[in-house]
Amino acid sequence: MSTTVEYGLRLLAGAAGIWLVITTVSGAIRSFVLPRSESVRLNMFVFGGVRALFDFAARRATTYARRDRILAHYAPVALVALPIGWLALVGVGYSAIYWALGVEDFTKSYELSGSSLLTLGTTSESGLAVNVFSYSEATIGLLLLTLLISYLPTLYQAFSRREIVVAQVELRAGIPATAAGLLAWLGPDFSRDDAQWLDWEKWLVEIDESHTSLPVLAFFRSPQGGRSWVMAAGLILDAANLHFSALDAAPSRQVETTFKAGVLALNRVYRFFDHTAETEPAELRPPEEQAADAPGRQDFAATWRALRAAGLPLRPSEEDAWQHYADRRRRYAPALAFLNELLMTPPLER
């Protein structure tokens, strides 16, 4: 190989290495520092690859409980795999940079890159430029790990706040949890329930913010296998929908505001994964679990009977109530169905 060709190849490798390092560090900053929802393609590759492995294993499970236990490990494993992917790309990028700066061959460049990135100090190279990049690589390696470690408390605090409300909704909605049970718990005097609906509004707004700015949080499953933040959000929205469609009660501005907040939250999370992150859900649930997600006319009739048995005031016409309920549910049903499929939530009974 002529000197000119080798010089050109080293120059191109150095430029590619700088671009790879900048792209990786930028993706890490956008993932954990930028306070807005933004899809990072590098993260999508890591999460998608890990998800494919877990989907492969979950498809071979015969029960929901077994599938749930398998998928419960997906988000933690993907989160740990993310900095490994970052460090690997930074290492490759700096290997190309060192080779461009005159290190003997690419193998030696890779050894120097790994030593610098992991601050091992097992390999050294003379030259001011090489040493400057070596120190910068060590700094970036520490920075990437620090970003993840420092953000874990924030992630788990958001998870804890989310799960407290999920558990409370389940307790209030009965066993099995239903929207009718949630309304029955609220009681016949709905004028006193605005404080509870306000708490749910705040929770739904936080879901909107946290599950798009920290999308991996959506995949962290509840500690109890029968719970899910999607299921809890669906129960709250269905209860609000029933409040306006089926009950003969005075309209409440707070219930309407909570309903709007829930519709916006679910649809924004849905659009983030479906459009921004281009996430393709893999359906892992059997047909009977899928059917429980979309209530039909018979399900509504059963809900109507449950509301009547609870002593709640109902509108004169069940058919008119069903039409109003179905019309309102179209505002959040596609988002709910997508997230149920993406996250393999428990079947929602009504």
Side-chain angles (χ1 to χ4, degrees):
M1 182 184 299
S2 67
T3 304
T4 303
V5 173
E6 181 179 353
Y7 179 78
L9 289 176
R10 286 178 181 264
L11 188 63
L12 287 174
I18 291 173
W19 174 82
L20 186 59
V21 171
I22 292 175
T23 301
T24 304
V25 174
S26 172
I29 292 173
R30 286 184 289 143
S31 299
F32 291 123
V33 180
L34 186 67
R36 62 169 53 193
S37 59
E38 185 169 341
S39 177
V40 179
R41 191 159 296 275
L42 170 59
N43 297 356
M44 291 164 53
F45 289 142
V46 174
F47 291 146
V50 176
R51 178 71 185 215
L53 295 176
F54 277 89
D55 284 350
F56 178 80
R59 283 193 182 95
R60 280 146 184 79
T62 56
T63 64
Y64 173 82
R66 178 60 180 163
R67 296 195 304 273
D68 180 72
R69 284 195 297 271
I70 292 172
L71 292 180
H73 294 83
Y74 161 64
V77 170
L79 198 60
V80 171
L82 193 57
I84 295 175
W86 292 341
L87 293 174
L89 290 176
V90 168
V92 171
Y94 269 97
S95 297
I97 293 172
Y98 296 140
W99 187 60
L101 291 175
V103 175
E104 181 180 352
D105 54 39
F106 200 82
T107 301
K108 182 68 173 178
S109 299
Y110 181 74
E111 292 175 359
L112 176 60
S113 176
S115 175
S116 302
L117 184 64
L118 303 177
T119 62
L120 299 176
T122 56
T123 304
S124 61
E125 190 73 21
S126 60
L128 177 61
V130 172
N131 285 330
V132 168
F133 276 97
S134 176
Y135 297 147
S136 69
E137 184 179 13
T139 303
I140 289 176
L142 290 173
L143 173 65
L144 293 179
L145 291 176
T146 302
L147 274 179
L148 178 65
I149 294 171
S150 62
Y151 225 80
L152 283 177
T154 301
L155 190 70
Y156 278 95
Q157 285 171 11
F159 172 78
S160 178
R161 290 194 301 270
R162 186 190 77 185
E163 291 305 311
I164 288 173
V165 176
V166 171
Q168 289 175 337
V169 169
E170 182 189 50
L171 287 172
R172 287 156 172 74
I175 301 175
T178 62
L182 196 58
L183 282 179
W185 175 83
L186 289 170
D189 189 2
F190 296 104
S191 61
R192 300 180 180 179
D193 295 323
D194 280 356
Q196 179 62 76
W197 287 102
L198 178 59
D199 288 341
W200 288 337
E201 177 197 345
K202 293 176 180 177
W203 179 75
L204 290 164
V205 170
E206 185 171 358
I207 290 288
D208 182 358
E209 185 276 330
S210 61
H211 286 53
T212 53
S213 60
L214 292 171
V216 70
L217 186 57
F219 294 92
F220 274 84
R221 304 181 74 81
S222 296
Q224 303 298 325
R227 294 176 184 168
S228 165
W229 69 268
V230 178
M231 181 175 121
L235 284 170
I236 293 172
L237 284 175
D238 283 345
N241 192 355
L242 287 171
H243 184 282
F244 289 106
S245 304
L247 298 185
D248 187 12
S252 168
R253 292 179 60 187
Q254 182 56 61
V255 178
E256 183 66 37
T257 302
T258 301
F259 180 77
K260 290 179 179 178
V263 170
L264 286 174
L266 286 186
N267 278 286
R268 282 174 177 161
V269 176
Y270 159 51
R271 285 195 299 269
F272 175 84
F273 284 110
D274 190 36
H275 300 148
T276 305
E278 300 175 359
T279 305
E280 291 290 340
E283 183 58 80
L284 304 175
R285 301 166 300 167
E288 58 272 16
E289 289 184 13
Q290 299 176 42
D293 292 332
R297 183 65 180 86
Q298 292 183 346
D299 298 307
F300 185 82
T303 298
W304 184 271
R305 292 192 295 271
L307 293 174
R308 186 184 299 279
L312 300 180
L314 299 178
R315 294 186 180 276
S317 172
E318 179 183 338
E319 186 60 34
D320 288 346
W322 158 248
Q323 293 298 330
H324 283 95
Y325 175 83
D327 288 343
R328 276 181 172 267
R329 205 173 194 278
R330 293 190 187 97
R331 296 168 61 179
Y332 59 93
L336 200 57
F338 177 89
L339 293 173
N340 279 327
E341 183 178 351
L342 178 67
L343 306 177
M344 202 203 74
T345 60
L348 179 62
E349 300 186 44
R350 291 172 177 80

